[in-house]
Amino acid sequence: MSNSLTTLEHNVLRPEDFDPPLKRKKATIPGYWTIEEIANEIGVTPRRVRYDITGRPQTKIEPSLEAYRIGNSLLVAEQNALEYIQRQRKR
């Protein structure tokens, strides 16, 4: 009998899995997305993406996206960014 744990594939999102295709052709920083790139993909302002990262108690927006602060920039790991873009497109 085969071990079912070794036969399962993980559901990993790739940029080519999106329909319509992603607008971003080349990464500014390989392996990461800037909040501006994410905002451009889903058609919102970078401020809205920033609120999804940091939260905003005044309007009851809870943080829903993990990012790394590098200087004044926020960078989102590629896998997290792709999952976030997919969720936002389905809304």
Side-chain angles (χ1 to χ4, degrees):
M1 185 183 323
S2 67
N3 185 350
S4 63
L5 293 176
T6 60
T7 58
L8 292 177
E9 273 190 36
H10 296 287
N11 189 12
V12 177
L13 284 174
R14 294 181 301 277
E16 53 272 4
D17 293 340
F18 285 84
D19 185 39
L22 296 175
K23 297 173 190 170
R24 180 176 99 157
K25 300 298 178 200
K26 187 172 185 222
T28 304
I29 300 171
Y32 294 92
W33 286 65
T34 64
I35 60 172
E36 291 81 10
E37 290 171 331
I38 294 171
N40 187 34
E41 289 293 338
I42 58 177
V44 299
T45 63
R47 179 180 285 180
R48 176 66 176 119
V49 177
R50 184 180 298 274
Y51 287 156
D52 283 342
I53 293 169
T54 61
R56 187 169 188 213
Q58 300 92 325
T59 57
K60 298 181 182 176
I61 296 175
E62 294 292 324
S64 62
L65 182 61
E66 185 179 322
Y68 302 98
R69 182 173 296 280
I70 308 296
N72 290 335
S73 301
L74 289 169
L75 299 177
V76 180
E78 184 157 19
Q79 191 60 38
N80 291 343
L82 294 175
E83 290 170 4
Y84 176 77
I85 292 167
Q86 185 179 51
R87 273 196 321 267
Q88 295 300 314
R89 282 187 172 182
K90 288 182 179 179
R91 288 175 67 181

